[in-house]
Amino acid sequence: MRALGWWLLLVGSLRLAAVWFGFFDIWALRMAVFSNSTMTEVHGRTFGVWTLLTCTLCYLCAFNLDNKPLYTATFLSFIYAFAHFTTEYYIYQTMVLSNLTTVGIFAGTSIIWMLLQWNSHGRRYTSKED
């Protein structure tokens, strides 16, 4: 497995921990992410489902780096997550800078690494036109 695949497995595993917090420990989720806001159990579960989806993308992509549609969807999940958390910090002010920094380290590293590796994998996924 390539280094990027191992990285995606790590990030997916960390996201899986966030899923646990969203469903079963909303207080920890609030402290770790949205420390400047109140959260309901519905917010936590919604966050958990969204994070479970992105975790699944990371795991699938880690083992299928040559699948461009899956690679693109995983890449975009990092873009969307980073944009979401950036707006939560700058516009809605539900996060503190240290929490945004943590998200930024993982999302930013993933975005840059995936951009750098964009065309370096063979193309196993084939369309009907090929």
Side-chain angles (χ1 to χ4, degrees):
M1 180 178 291
R2 297 178 202 128
L4 178 58
W6 287 108
W7 172 258
L8 290 173
L9 287 176
L10 171 68
V11 173
S13 297
L14 293 172
R15 286 179 169 184
L16 195 56
V19 170
W20 173 266
F21 294 134
F23 282 102
F24 303 109
D25 194 353
I26 194 168
W27 183 84
L29 177 63
R30 184 181 164 275
M31 298 296 12
V33 182
F34 301 106
S35 56
N36 284 349
S37 70
T38 57
M39 290 186 71
T40 67
E41 291 179 6
V42 171
H43 293 124
R45 290 189 300 271
T46 302
F47 180 86
V49 168
W50 169 57
T51 306
L52 183 59
L53 177 60
T54 62
C55 168
T56 303
L57 284 172
C58 284
Y59 286 152
L60 290 172
C61 189
F63 293 103
N64 297 285
L65 291 171
D66 299 327
N67 184 320
K68 281 297 185 185
L70 180 59
Y71 193 95
T72 302
T74 305
F75 172 76
L76 289 173
S77 77
F78 286 108
I79 297 287
Y80 300 156
F82 188 65
H84 166 71
F85 289 117
T86 300
T87 60
E88 289 297 325
Y89 176 74
Y90 285 107
I91 296 172
Y92 303 109
Q93 300 174 349
T94 60
M95 299 176 69
V96 295
L97 185 58
S98 60
N99 295 350
L100 179 62
T101 301
T102 302
V103 169
I105 289 169
F106 287 100
T109 299
S110 300
I111 290 165
I112 291 168
W113 198 342
M114 290 185 83
L115 273 175
L116 291 173
Q117 296 291 309
W118 190 265
N119 289 317
S120 67
H121 305 294
R123 187 169 177 220
R124 261 194 269 165
Y125 175 80
T126 57
S127 64
K128 291 181 181 181
E129 292 85 34
D130 289 343

